[in-house]
Amino acid sequence: MSQHVLITGANRGLGLEYVRQYLADDWQVTAACRQPEKAHDLNALAASASDRLTVQPLDVTDDRQIDNLRASVAATPVDVLINNAGIFGQTRGGFGATDYAAWQQAFQVNVMAVMRMMEVFADAVAASRHKTIVNMTSKMGSIADNGSGGMVVYRSTKAALNAATVSAAIDLKPRDIRVVALHPGWVRTDMGGPNALIDAAESVTGMRRVIAELTTAQSGAFLDYKGQTVPW
Ligand code: NDP
């Protein structure tokens, strides 16, 4: 039986590229996104690979939709769960102009939703061969790497996600599940912008290699798309 990957925020950017590459590699893919009816790229892929690609509705902040997704995946083990959906939160205004509502929303999406996905899908991951959870984080969540300040909303949510990732790695170790925080590089997507250094294909090619080669000893690590350790 082919392996199964579940990807959140799969309608554009890195999520969509993960879908493309895993499909090309003969995986079974569950692609979750907020508005499947508007996910034209995903639907085009489903039209050509419909037996291996399932598109499911998921706003990651909606607990009921997470439960429904779990029910629809049913008894199919999830080899790799990729918690990819994320938001930048606040794009303008530095110290003194913090947008607290945006901060709260970013915590919901970037941190709490990922924790809930891990809790709800842990059994399905434990039942698989690969037993891997990937949380898409950012080098901007590295406290050690913060030499320029600002962007407190995005930085703090990714730092919190990193903390949750390490705890989950420890908590899920007895079930043989590997959990990793993965930085994709600075990538040309809607979030990364046109000046970013690499394209989504290069980033996802690298991350898929890191995921495929992930060892039990690396569970709880903070790695980039080349497999290099990022300082906390
Ligand atoms: P994009 O902004 O291009 O795409 C974000 C994706 O997340 C979209 O599919 C979006 O869906 C989805 N999303 C946002 N909020 C929700 C929600 N509430 N429920 C479900 N889906 C949601 O970002 P990237 O592809 O660039 O980034 C993917 C991940 O990689 C993110 O976690 C990001 O933080 C991280 N990252 C990206 C970097 C880069 O340089 N691009 C660098 C470091 C980390 P919708 O279309 O419905 O809005």
Side-chain angles (χ1 to χ4, degrees):
M1 198 176 113
S2 68
Q3 300 184 83
H4 178 208
V5 61
L6 166 54
I7 304 155
T8 66
N11 56 306
R12 59 188 169 99
L14 291 166
L16 180 64
E17 183 61 25
Y18 270 125
V19 173
R20 282 202 189 98
Q21 293 199 16
Y22 277 111
L23 273 182
D25 211 11
D26 271 345
W27 283 54
Q28 190 189 330
V29 179
T30 300
C33 63
R34 282 199 272 206
Q35 292 179 291
E37 67 285 358
K38 292 188 181 164
H40 304 301
D41 294 326
L42 271 184
N43 292 327
L45 284 171
S48 59
S50 56
D51 55 330
R52 283 188 294 106
L53 173 59
T54 313
V55 182
Q56 296 285 356
L58 179 68
D59 181 324
V60 293
T61 63
D62 185 333
D63 287 355
R64 195 179 42 83
Q65 287 192 25
I66 292 181
D67 292 338
N68 288 345
L69 179 64
R70 176 72 189 91
S72 75
V73 166
T76 314
V78 175
D79 288 277
V80 180
L81 165 63
I82 303 181
N83 288 309
N84 167 75
I87 56 174
F88 199 78
Q90 181 180 0
T91 48
R92 261 179 238 153
F95 189 91
T98 301
D99 181 340
Y100 288 90
W103 200 351
Q104 223 158 15
Q105 176 64 14
F107 252 97
Q108 290 281 348
V109 176
N110 294 353
V111 189
M112 286 183 259
V114 175
M115 194 65 204
R116 174 111 165 98
M117 285 293 292
M118 290 197 285
E119 291 185 334
V120 170
F121 282 94
D123 287 347
V125 174
S128 75
R129 193 143 45 102
H130 245 286
K131 301 189 205 312
T132 301
I133 298 175
V134 175
N135 294 334
M136 293 295 295
T137 186
S138 170
K139 205 171 171 182
M140 285 182 63
S142 165
I143 294 167
D145 188 67
N146 185 356
S148 55
M151 293 175 274
V152 67
V153 168
Y154 190 66
R155 285 189 193 283
S156 65
T157 59
K158 293 298 189 182
L161 173 63
N162 289 349
T165 301
V166 172
S167 279
I170 295 166
D171 295 342
L172 294 174
K173 197 173 180 168
R175 303 172 75 179
D176 220 15
I177 296 174
R178 292 164 293 188
V179 189
V180 70
L182 205 48
H183 166 64
W186 185 22
V187 192
R188 289 187 291 276
T189 61
D190 291 339
M191 187 187 289
N195 298 325
L197 299 177
I198 56 174
D199 63 19
E202 181 178 353
S203 170
V204 171
T205 299
M207 291 191 290
R208 289 183 59 241
R209 188 178 306 125
V210 173
I211 294 166
E213 294 172 358
L214 201 67
T215 64
T216 305
Q218 283 176 310
S219 188
F222 184 3
L223 302 173
D224 70 9
Y225 72 108
K226 292 179 174 168
Q228 304 286 318
T229 298
V230 182
W232 296 110

